[in-house]
Amino acid sequence: MAAGVWCESFASKTLFLWAFGAGVYNEIMEEEIMEKIILTGDRPTGKLHIGHYVGSLKRRVELQNSGNYDEIFIMIADAQALTDNADNPEKVRQNIIEVALDYLSCGLDPKKSTLFIQSQVPELCELTTFYMNLVTVSRLQRNPTVKSEIKMRNFEASIPVGFFNYPISQASDITAFKATTVPVGEDQLPMLEQTKEIVRKFNSTYGDTLIEPDILLPDNEACLRLPGTDGKAKMSKSLNNCIYLSDTEEEVRQKVMGMYTDPDHIKVSDPGKVEGNTVFTYLDAFCKEEHFERYLSEYKNLDELKAHYMRGGLGDVKVKKFLNAVIQEELAPIRARRKELEGQIPEIYDILKEGCKKARAKAAETVNEVKDAMKINYFEDGDLIKEQVERYKK
Ligand code: TRP
């Protein structure tokens, strides 16, 4: 190459970097080549409820159908579920199909999203083994989700190692698929933080290999954490305050009509509170303006309904009936689809089996890259063998 040409290209690149900053230059380059990949999942410890639906499932289906993602992986996290259900594998075993039925009936489409079961991808365990060396015990102890779960499960005196380790295993789930986007609820923020730390630590120790994922939170405040029908902070099976995606029309109606509202709103004429009033929180999560036209045309929108409630003169029963109509409209097609799918159980296991195959292939690629970076792919490492030959030559 002539010196002049070299100087010119060197000068123009330098100028470019000077003008835009190296960070921006790298970002532009990365964005051009980086695929957009989603990974997310759920523990199969029960049927999914409408909290799961507004908090993540509905969004996943929208993301799936947006065409903006190159690959989508949805994982049934049975191995993670076993970290705090070690004595009850039957519960996990029974609920895998429940979660799969819920996924498919909500519109996750196996042609567009790979649905798979965590324990059937052993490559995830390999990654976990290597990542464990990059995380300290005290860092895991500071993970806020782990902290509160230890309390909740009375694990303080004796924490199972597998449970303690699950944030690392979750980092494996995410990085194995090179996920760029992880749509989950805000309770998973500490897991994503921990994953990013592992990615940075791995990349700085062994060279750029893993992708730092971004969390994608629900964009509607009410959907971040839908309270139970009793007004308690969280829907939970043991509190019996969930509306399940698989509930019948009558079950949903009864649960809605029995919902917690404002305990001081006794007579219809009393002014009522909408904050902390579960019926209104659910309306925030589910209701659109078009629902008023269909089911409650005296009001134009939710703001008008809330204003009337706060002024007094609007009874709980009327609001609950409206909410019931709104929720039923959303759940009816899901319920119908579920009925159909319940007659195709062997086919659903086949879908999962196929998904596991695809997921394994992808995870195996990453494991191979990880081992390359760590230089522990001994048998493919011609240089290593030559080096040893030299060492023993004398
Ligand atoms: N921790 C998630 C939950 O409790 C399940 C999960 C396991 C997950 N691995 C994941 C979610 C990876 C997102 C990404 O629901």
Side-chain angles (χ1 to χ4, degrees), residues 126 151 195 219-220 225-226 235 308 318 343 388 393:
E126 287 190 69
K151 241 194 220 135
T195 300
D219 43 17
N220 176 337
R225 191 170 288 235
L226 201 71
M235 281 203 184
H308 192 185
K318 188 164 176 177
Q388 302 308 322
K393 236 178 192 164

Side-chain angles (χ1 to χ4, degrees), residues 39-43 52 60 75-77 80 118 149 166 169-174 182-184 187-188 191-192:
L39 175 114
T40 188
D42 302 276
R43 296 182 190 188
H52 294 115
R60 284 182 207 170
M75 180 181 75
I76 301 179
Q80 189 174 106
Q118 186 182 28
E149 286 177 333
Y166 96 74
S169 144
Q170 191 155 335
S172 305
D173 304 336
I174 295 168
V182 183
V184 278
D187 61 318
Q188 296 296 307
M191 299 300 153
L192 265 286

Side-chain angles (χ1 to χ4, degrees), residues 256-267:
V256 170
M257 296 316 285
M259 264 171 83
Y260 176 86
T261 58
D262 170 6
D264 299 323
H265 185 244
I266 296 161
K267 285 186 282 166

Side-chain angles (χ1 to χ4, degrees), residues 100-227:
L101 281 165
D102 285 331
Y103 281 172
L104 294 166
S105 48
C106 284
L108 286 176
D109 175 355
K111 288 197 210 80
K112 298 179 186 161
S113 300
T114 304
L115 310 180
F116 71 100
I117 306 174
Q118 186 182 28
S119 66
Q120 305 307 299
V121 183
E123 286 75 10
L124 299 174
C125 307
E126 287 190 69
L127 292 179
T128 303
T129 301
F130 301 133
Y131 297 168
M132 276 160 69
N133 303 325
L134 309 175
V135 181
T136 63
V137 170
S138 65
R139 174 61 182 90
L140 284 173
Q141 277 167 332
R142 282 198 307 273
N143 183 312
T145 308
V146 173
K147 249 182 171 168
S148 73
E149 286 177 333
I150 286 173
K151 241 194 220 135
M152 228 162 66
R153 288 165 179 71
N154 293 324
F155 276 165
E156 280 113 328
S158 56
I159 309 169
V161 174
F163 174 81
F164 192 57
N165 202 36
Y166 96 74
I168 303 181
S169 144
Q170 191 155 335
S172 305
D173 304 336
I174 295 168
T175 54
F177 300 95
K178 303 229 165 72
T180 51
T181 310
V182 183
V184 278
E186 63 174 347
D187 61 318
Q188 296 296 307
L189 258 169
M191 299 300 153
L192 265 286
E193 245 345 283
Q194 185 112 47
T195 300
K196 284 177 187 223
E197 279 176 35
I198 290 172
V199 168
R200 284 184 219 128
K201 182 91 187 177
F202 187 97
N203 287 348
S204 69
T205 310
Y206 305 114
D208 268 351
T209 311
L210 303 172
I211 308 277
E212 250 187 75
D214 286 320
I215 191 167
L216 187 65
L217 292 169
D219 43 17
N220 176 337
E221 182 76 25
C223 298
L224 272 177
R225 191 170 288 235
L226 201 71

Side-chain angles (χ1 to χ4, degrees), residues 25-35 208:
Y25 175 77
N26 283 339
E27 246 166 52
I28 294 168
M29 299 302 285
E30 246 168 45
E31 217 149 83
E32 265 170 30
I33 48 169
M34 198 151 86
E35 289 195 299
D208 268 351

